[in-house]
Amino acid sequence: MTTIKLHNTKTRKKEVFTPIDPENVRMYVCGPTVYDRAHIGNARPVVVFDVLYRLLRHVYGADHVTYVRNFTDVDDKINARAKESGREIGEITAETTQWYLDDMRALGAMDPNEMPRATAYIPQMIAMIEKLIADDFAYAKDGHVLFRVRAYKHYGALSGRSVDDMIAGARVEVAPYKEDPMDFVLWKPSSEDLPGWDSPWGRGRPGWHIECSAMAKDLLGETFDIHGGGNDLQFPHHENEVAQSCCASGHAEDGGGFANYWLHNEMLQVEGKKMSKSLGNFFTVHDLLEQGVPGEVIRFVFLSTDYRKPMNWTENKRAQAERTLRKWRALCRGVTPQEEMPPRFLEALCDDLNFGSAMYFLRVYAKEGQAAALLRGAQLIGLLTDEMGGWDEAPDFDLSNYEILLANTRAKAMETKDFSEVDRLKAALVAAGVEVRMSKAGVELLPAAGFDPAKLEGLL
């Protein structure tokens, strides 16, 4: 059996992955809150854990892996979106859920085995909350139910923080219904204009954290193999999941149960800066797809950085990814993937999803002309598949006159040292979806993704 090693946030070290039951390997990954389009940062964990899902299926068999990723469809952000738009909440969540699925599928992500919606698991959440109250790990006050953080002595173990440090360094809600500032909400009351369900504590709705605990238990059992998500979820979301799940399952003393392995991917930047609407560098997956960036190219860029390192999305990386994929697809056209998985590639991927090493070996196979090996390895991580193809087929359009124009303009600029017209022509070509290559040998223009000949009108 192939050995997989994973860096376990729970123990802060790389460990050999040993599933509870090799016949039923189980993984839960926190999914989106569906109130708007997914930005590219939201897509990174999808691609990361899609690769892990594919690897687990390869090692243990497709029928022996269960992957669950939830949809949070009850949330204050959704309520606010409904109020400002005048639309029904169910209409908004149905639309945004489909947007998410369409965009992630465009990146080559396989659908998980289960994609539960939080609103379908309210009874399970209520039952878990009742159990926590009965065992004195939670309390009800003023229509709220809160978890007693200090009743769980292992709180903070996942994120490596002490409760006192958290209080000193975090912004915590001070409310009259809290016994302790760190206690977090399991259930809260709903006014008539908000979604709500009947409960022993009155009409209300669940807090954010309880939903994942309830859905994971119902679909994967009280103890399962892997829990994953972005690094930003480690605290408080995952920390709170651990606390309430362990206490509800009788593991308050030993801190065991729930997930055996925790994996977290690092965050994403754009051109070296944190993605922010105020900086003008915020964009969604849909934005990129609408601009003609192929989903396979986006996926390639994501897989060019190891998942535990911050990822920097740049226009240069996008262009390089597109060029590489075009070469790889041309090399593999008409080729059948070899039966055996390339051993060096597989070994790299099994070493805590070492994307850097895995992609290095794919480049080696391409350089050496080993198309069958390249295709076999690439398809395991969701690249060079038939479903992701087609975008690399160049449009039938003659760019030779534009090459001559740019070459002549460039030659003139070399004499006058004024390259403003060269820059203008190049910018216009790029805006039309043309890849511009200039070297000592000359000028070469290639139609790229999103090529629009209409945008070239007036250049000649």
Side-chain angles (χ1 to χ4, degrees):
M1 176 67 72
T2 302
T3 299
I4 298 175
K5 294 181 180 179
L6 300 173
H7 186 275
N8 191 351
T9 307
K10 187 176 181 179
T11 60
R12 290 166 182 74
K13 61 184 180 180
K14 190 189 297 186
E15 300 176 341
V16 172
F17 174 64
T18 305
I20 298 167
D21 178 5
E23 296 295 309
N24 183 21
V25 182
R26 290 161 286 168
M27 177 170 71
Y28 186 98
V29 175
C30 290
T33 300
V34 283
Y35 68 98
D36 207 343
R37 291 279 186 184
H39 59 68
I40 58 168
N42 300 140
R44 191 181 189 195
V46 174
V47 173
V48 167
F49 290 102
D50 178 67
V51 173
L52 179 55
Y53 180 43
R54 291 169 180 267
L55 177 61
L56 293 171
R57 286 164 57 95
H58 171 75
V59 173
Y60 295 97
D63 296 332
H64 302 294
V65 181
T66 303
Y67 174 22
V68 178
R69 188 185 66 217
N70 72 295
F71 285 107
T72 296
D73 60 348
V74 52
D75 183 86
D76 289 343
K77 290 180 180 178
I78 300 172
N79 300 337
R81 183 57 55 89
K83 186 175 182 179
E84 68 184 30
S85 66
R87 300 175 65 195
E88 294 292 326
I89 287 174
E91 180 184 355
I92 292 173
T93 58
E95 177 182 64
T96 50
T97 295
Q98 193 58 53
W99 284 351
Y100 183 86
L101 289 172
D102 290 343
D103 290 346
M104 297 309 113
R105 288 165 181 165
L107 302 187
M110 299 172 64
D111 285 350
N113 302 96
E114 301 282 351
M115 295 185 285
R117 294 175 295 107
T119 53
Y121 285 79
I122 301 297
Q124 290 89 335
M125 296 181 211
I126 291 175
M128 182 173 282
I129 294 171
E130 288 181 312
K131 178 72 164 58
L132 290 169
I133 292 176
D135 293 342
D136 211 28
F137 292 110
Y139 58 95
K141 188 174 182 181
D142 298 339
H144 294 78
V145 180
L146 296 106
F147 182 87
R148 283 192 176 94
V149 166
R150 293 186 188 273
Y152 179 57
K153 65 181 182 181
H154 301 286
Y155 192 85
L158 181 67
S159 56
R161 313 179 187 190
S162 72
V163 175
D164 291 332
D165 288 343
M166 292 180 202
I167 292 176
R171 291 176 294 177
V172 294
E173 182 186 6
V174 178
Y177 49 77
K178 283 189 173 186
E179 292 179 355
D180 186 285
M182 284 303 297
D183 292 350
F184 59 86
V185 173
L186 301 173
W187 189 266
K188 53 189 173 183
S190 292
S191 56
E192 288 301 319
D193 61 330
L194 293 174
W197 290 262
D198 292 333
S199 79
W201 320 286
R203 183 178 180 277
R205 60 197 190 280
W208 174 30
H209 316 295
I210 193 68
E211 63 178 77
C212 288
S213 289
M215 288 186 281
K217 177 185 176 182
D218 190 81
L219 295 169
L220 299 176
E222 287 187 341
T223 303
F224 53 95
D225 297 301
I226 299 169
H227 195 313
N231 202 40
D232 57 326
L233 297 179
Q234 187 174 330
F235 181 84
H237 185 51
H238 290 164
E239 193 74 72
N240 291 351
E241 277 188 69
V242 171
Q244 63 201 11
S245 295
C246 290
C247 290
S249 64
H251 286 281
E253 283 300 313
D254 59 26
F258 203 43
N260 286 342
Y261 299 83
W262 285 84
L263 273 68
H264 293 93
N265 65 272
E266 259 291 355
M267 297 297 98
L268 178 144
Q269 296 178 323
V270 175
E271 302 290 347
K273 297 180 180 179
K274 182 178 179 180
M275 188 167 59
S276 167
K277 290 182 180 179
S278 63
L279 294 176
N281 65 352
F282 179 96
F283 48 92
T284 67
V285 173
H286 183 70
D287 290 335
L288 290 176
L289 296 172
E290 284 290 288
Q291 292 165 16
V293 181
E296 187 174 32
V297 170
I298 300 172
R299 186 181 184 93
F300 188 102
V301 175
F302 283 171
L303 296 180
S304 298
T305 302
D306 288 337
Y307 80 97
R308 294 184 59 239
K309 295 180 180 178
M311 199 204 96
N312 188 23
W313 173 277
T314 68
E315 174 58 25
N316 184 50
K317 286 183 178 180
R318 182 214 60 77
Q320 289 181 345
E322 183 173 329
R323 285 194 292 270
T324 299
L325 282 169
R326 285 183 183 278
K327 292 176 182 177
W328 286 6
R329 282 196 167 273
L331 177 64
C332 294
R333 196 159 288 132
V335 173
T336 300
Q338 67 183 36
E339 185 174 342
E340 180 190 4
M341 189 63 63
R344 292 184 299 173
F345 167 82
L346 182 60
E347 182 180 347
L349 199 61
C350 287
D351 184 16
D352 193 32
L353 302 181
N354 191 329
F355 294 156
S357 292
M359 294 291 270
Y360 166 78
F361 287 119
L362 293 184
R363 288 186 171 90
V364 169
Y365 303 144
K367 185 177 180 180
E368 295 176 350
Q370 299 182 52
L374 169 63
L375 191 57
R376 184 71 171 98
Q379 289 186 345
L380 178 61
I381 58 175
L383 298 172
L384 306 188
T385 63
D386 291 340
E387 296 81 8
M388 297 293 280
W391 63 267
D392 57 315
E393 297 174 4
D396 185 15
F397 189 85
D398 186 5
L399 289 169
S400 59
N401 288 333
Y402 297 92
E403 287 182 346
I404 294 170
L405 172 63
L406 183 57
N408 290 339
T409 304
R410 183 190 183 204
K412 183 178 178 181
M414 295 291 285
E415 297 177 1
T416 64
K417 306 303 180 184
D418 180 4
F419 288 86
S420 58
E421 182 61 13
V422 174
D423 293 338
R424 187 190 73 83
L425 288 174
K426 182 179 178 181
L429 289 163
V430 171
V434 177
E435 182 182 346
V436 179
R437 299 181 182 178
M438 292 192 291
S439 65
K440 292 181 180 180
V443 173
E444 183 181 14
L445 302 180
L446 299 171
F451 174 59
D452 184 358
K455 293 182 179 179
L456 295 176
E457 291 183 7
L459 279 187
L460 293 177

